[in-house]
Amino acid sequence: MRVVSCLVEDHNLLLVGLAAVVCVIGSIITMNLFKKMRSSRGLNRITWQFMAAAAGGASIWCTHFIAMLAWRPEVISTYEPVLTALSLIVAIGGCALSMFVGAFRFQTAPVLGGAIFGVAVSTMHYTGMLGLRTHAVLHFDMPYVVASMLLAAVLGMGAYTLAAYASPRYRMALSSAVMVLAIVSLHFTGMAALVVSPIGGVPDYSGVNDGFLAFGVAGVALLLLGSALASYVLHEQAQARERRRLKALLEGSVDGMVVEGRNGIMMFNKAFAELVGAADGTLHLSSIGSWIEDAQSMSDQTVVQSQLKTEAGEVIPVEVAVRADHGDSGESLRLFSVRDLRRRLEQERRIAFLARNDSLTSLPNRASFLEKLERMAHLHKHAPGFALLAIDLDRFKEVNDLYGHSVGDQLLVHIAGEMKAVIREGEFVARQGGDEFVAIVPLNNLSGQREEARAAAQRLREAIITPMQGEHTEMGCGASIGVALWPQDASETSILINNADLAMYRAKAALAEEICFYEKTMDEAVRQRRRVTQGLRDALENQEFELYYQPQVAVDTREITGYEALLRWRQKDGSFISPAEFIPVAEDTGLILPIGEWVLRRACEEAKHWDKPLRLAVNLSPVQLGHTDLPRLVHQVLIDTGFPPARLELEITETAMITDMARSTFILRQLKALGVSIAMDDFGTGYSSLSTLRAFPFDKIKLDRAFMGELEDNTQSRAIIRAVLSLGESLSIPVLAEGVETVDQLNFLREQGCDEVQGYLLGRPSRRALPLSQESVEIAKAG
Ligand code: C2E
Ligand code: CA
Ligand code: CA
């Protein structure tokens, strides 16, 4: 009651109202600035602290001072300037201290700060009162003083605690209101504590009108508060702008972006919300750690792979880049950029798969095979070790040629599938490329390695030759398998591969064996081949080749019609290497092309100088036929040597034509157009297909010499010779029999109506195109 009556009776209520306005506005602004300061760091914090303390101090002091001016004791009073100024400093300093303490992180800091605030308000009040100069005795009623100070302290604690811990919605209103209460209750309780006893005398009153002073002080206070408020608003606006810009920036990113503050996720973009699959409300202020594994422990500037758990519980692999930052009020923020790795990982997996596997069949590729082989070799240092199988498909090229590449591809896929189905645990199959495969088969049986390896090879071979059901037909191909054993057959993996290949070539060449094991002698054969290849190169350069000529004789006139040129390779010691031995090597290495050209040119040059203009027969290799330039080459040689085309006969075998009949006949026609004739060599040994004879109008059929040897005691051979001769007759193609060695053979051929003969009986191949010897003439006639 005393406080109320003091307020109502002793005060000018208009000025009290003014004080209240200053107090309320000041408190609201101060509390907002305090909040700002609490959430700031560094220089920002100092600035905000300064502003908050100035605003708080000014509010308290001005409220007090205006309220003092509103006070109307019976005595005139003035204010002593030093103490009055001191009270202002106490107000500001006390506020600063209370805020400094109140903003600490520990839990009771706001309580402590609030208490300091209360003490500051009290100290300011009573310091100000000490500056009051009146003609009266001032007496303070102690219980009221204590009560006022306790009130200020308790309400101060209340204001600060509310500012820190009240729910964010009401925080500002409540804390400001309690701060107002703290200031006001202290002031009026403090005033009620004051007992004034006038001591008479003329009051020395020359001061300014109290009302003016009050409004002046209020004006200055509001100005100060206003500028603090202005900077606060400006700052808020800048922050909002900043936030909007940041938001726009975040939304511009395809990756999920999250800004995390002290209280959890402050901001995030659509991409992140979509990735997580959660509503905005759920995400806001949630902990980033609840979405991204280990997010809490990620430090600045790191890029780590982690996992994201979606709202639905799905786990997504992500790459998270973290950057620590400071908000503009200095609070620490963390920026997370979250990239969905699913597509990239999928792609990486695919690329890794493609790098290690054949894209057509999905079998491991050569690179995987080599790696696996190294590992296996390292693992199996001792017998029984493992078997390396080099697998080459037979007749695959035919399928490709006949049905096209896409069917060929299908067949490869089919074969790969069949193989995959039969391999056992620990076994490994890879595609080397083309129609070549390899397999690694671990062996267990020390005494029966070969049997074990053979069984595995057989199992794979059977799988490979399982026919594929085509649209209209079944198709399939064979397989030749070479086997080399580790560690018996090689000391290095590259040698092991080489040896398995050697065995495979042997299997390919041998008609009866589809599976061959590597043997040491194969090396020798290969070395021999290499020697021959090198020798052939040198021979071509050093002119070690010679041509021999063997006469061809007409059966009825018994005269020489022409000579076949046969290649001879003379060694340094004068011996010859048979063309049957070196021609295949020359064909394999392509050396047949220069050698063949040399033969043709040399034969034409030499035959030009023969006494009689007889026919010259020259052998052509299938490899030469496969070479498109053949017609041009022949033409060129004919021009260069001036040899008449009509005298030249080219001998080709049926095998040379069979691989690509259309192309072969095309080339043969071009050759024939030059005026040269074409003979089919070695007829009866290869395919001997009527369609070849029909495809191209040959000028001669040369019956292979194999039939001559068997003629005496083999009725079948005779039947075949007869058949070929009548075939030639019905097609009007003359037939020449090769390899005639005996008079009986000659007689038989004559009886059967053979046109020409060639053989040792009539003349061996010799350096010169010799005429028939006297002896041969006799023999020919005798028949
Ligand atoms: P070919 O074309 O069938 O040649 C005939 C072969 O039979 C020659 O062997 C010849 O000496 C041999 N011969 C001739 N009369 C008789 C006989 O009464 N009895 C026996 N047992 N053999 C006889 P040569 O010269 O060793 O040639 C072997 C093969 O080498 C030729 O078979 C031919 O395919 C190839 N060849 C030879 N010279 C050349 C050449 O210049 N170019 C090409 N591409 N291949 C050639
Ligand atoms: Ca020939
Ligand atoms: Ca022949």
Side-chain angles (χ1 to χ4, degrees), residues 416-476:
E418 295 290 329
M419 278 200 282
K420 268 187 250 176
V422 300
I423 56 169
R424 302 201 174 141
E425 207 188 310
E427 295 179 348
F428 175 90
V429 175
R431 182 177 174 212
Q432 286 272 70
D435 59 351
E436 288 174 43
F437 297 85
V438 280
I440 299 175
V441 178
L443 302 173
N444 304 309
N445 197 338
L446 194 56
S447 54
Q449 290 154 293
R450 275 180 164 251
E451 286 67 36
E452 218 186 330
R454 185 181 293 281
Q458 236 136 24
R459 170 158 44 85
L460 279 170
R461 211 185 93 80
E462 265 154 39
I464 293 169
I465 62 178
T466 320
M468 175 177 81
Q469 214 55 48
E471 248 171 69
H472 308 292
T473 52
E474 257 188 358
M475 65 188 81

Side-chain angles (χ1 to χ4, degrees), residues 681-682 704 738:
D681 206 355
D682 301 347
D704 196 77
E738 289 186 292

Side-chain angles (χ1 to χ4, degrees), residues 33-177:
L33 292 171
F34 178 51
K35 180 189 87 174
K36 203 91 202 163
M37 170 214 160
R38 274 169 54 82
S39 62
S40 307
R41 295 281 167 279
L43 193 61
N44 264 315
R45 190 184 175 97
I46 295 170
T47 314
W48 288 118
Q49 159 134 40
F50 175 78
M51 296 243 262
S59 308
I60 299 164
W61 188 82
C62 291
T63 306
H64 163 79
F65 197 76
I66 297 167
M68 285 304 287
L69 293 174
W71 184 50
R72 290 175 308 195
E74 293 83 70
V75 291
I76 303 290
S77 41
T78 58
Y79 299 93
E80 198 276 319
V82 176
L83 280 175
T84 305
L86 185 65
S87 69
L88 177 61
I89 291 167
V90 165
I92 294 176
C95 265
L97 181 66
S98 75
M99 285 166 176
F100 180 70
V101 174
F104 272 121
R105 285 250 177 269
F106 59 92
Q107 199 159 14
T108 49
V111 182
L112 212 62
I116 295 174
F117 178 78
V119 171
V121 177
S122 314
T123 314
M124 182 282 309
H125 180 82
Y126 292 107
T127 313
M129 292 306 282
L130 289 180
L132 190 64
R133 292 283 172 267
T134 54
H135 290 272
V137 175
L138 298 180
H139 169 76
F140 287 96
D141 200 345
M142 242 13 206
Y144 279 91
V145 172
V146 172
S148 73
M149 289 175 86
L150 281 177
L151 262 176
V154 169
L155 288 167
M157 286 181 203
Y160 273 50
T161 311
L162 286 168
Y165 300 124
S167 106
R169 272 180 87 174
Y170 308 109
R171 186 177 289 179
M172 280 303 112
L174 284 176
S175 60
S176 308

Side-chain angles (χ1 to χ4, degrees), residues 750-767:
R750 179 177 289 138
E751 279 163 28
Q752 297 302 324
C754 182
D755 303 277
E756 286 177 77
V757 285
Q758 182 181 350
Y760 292 169
L761 179 70
L762 301 144
R764 289 178 176 263
S766 72
R767 188 57 204 93

Side-chain angles (χ1 to χ4, degrees), residues 564 566 619 651 653 680-683 685 702-705 736 738-739 758:
E564 178 180 2
L566 294 162
N619 291 290
E651 295 190 1
T653 57
M680 169 165 287
D681 206 355
D682 301 347
F683 191 76
T685 52
K702 292 188 79 181
L703 185 60
D704 196 77
R705 66 174 185 269
L736 180 149
E738 289 186 292
Q758 182 181 350

